[in-house]
Amino acid sequence: MKLIQLFQAYPFDELMPIIVDMFPGTGKYRKPLEQAYNTLVEMTPVISKKNIRYKLMKDTQSDTSYIGAEDANFDSPWEVCLGKEVVKEKGVDLSDIELAANCLVNISFIGKHPKSFEEAYKALQKK
C-alpha cells in the first residue's frame, strides 16, 4: 500500500492516540503533527520505485532489537515519501494504523518538508 493510502485510511484523531502509545511524551506535539497530517493528505504524491521497509532492526547501543524503518526511507521530499510503497518484512507485527502513525512521526521529523510546514517543524524540534 502506498503511504498516501495509509494516511487517507485513518483520520488524524485516530492516529494521535497510537502515536502517543508508540512514542511516550509526544502528546505535546499534537498541533504540529496534525498540521503535518493535514498537509500530507492534501498533497499529490510523486510515484516512487523505492519503499518504506519496516523490518527487525538491531539497536546499536545494546543487544536488543526493535521494529522500524531506516531513516533514509523518509529522507526525501514529502511528495516522494507519499508515493512510496510501505512494506512489512517477515516478523513485523505492526497493524496498518500503527504503520501510518509511525510513518507520520518519521516523515514529520526526517522528511524534506514544504516551506508551509517550517514553523510547525521548529515546534517539533523543541524538547
Side-chain angles (χ1 to χ4, degrees):
M1 179 179 295
K2 298 285 184 194
L3 180 56
I4 186 68
Q5 294 169 312
L6 263 180
F7 287 156
Q8 291 171 336
Y10 303 99
F12 179 77
D13 287 339
E14 288 181 24
L15 292 177
M16 194 61 203
I18 305 296
I19 291 170
V20 171
D21 285 347
M22 294 176 93
F23 305 99
T26 53
K28 64 185 176 186
Y29 299 120
R30 180 183 177 86
K31 193 172 180 180
L33 289 173
E34 185 171 15
Q35 184 179 341
Y37 172 85
N38 291 335
T39 302
L40 285 158
V41 296
E42 294 298 320
M43 291 180 136
T44 302
V46 173
I47 302 306
S48 174
K49 292 183 180 184
K50 295 185 178 183
N51 295 324
I52 297 171
R53 183 169 298 279
Y54 280 84
K55 58 187 176 181
L56 217 50
M57 301 172 70
K58 293 259 188 217
D59 184 350
T60 57
Q61 306 291 318
S62 67
D63 286 337
T64 60
S65 295
Y66 62 96
I67 294 172
E70 300 284 343
D71 288 354
N73 291 193
F74 300 97
D75 190 15
S76 53
W78 282 12
E79 297 90 342
V80 174
C81 288
L82 289 171
K84 292 181 179 181
E85 192 77 23
V86 180
V87 177
K88 294 190 292 188
E89 289 188 357
K90 187 175 182 175
V92 173
D93 60 354
L94 294 176
S95 66
D96 284 351
I97 194 168
E98 289 171 324
L99 287 171
N102 190 277
C103 284
L104 178 59
V105 170
N106 283 317
I107 198 172
S108 296
F109 280 92
I110 301 168
K112 293 180 171 83
H113 57 270
K115 288 189 187 299
S116 63
F117 187 70
E118 188 61 35
E119 205 59 40
Y121 180 74
K122 289 177 184 174
L124 287 175
Q125 301 304 304
K126 294 179 182 174
K127 294 195 179 189

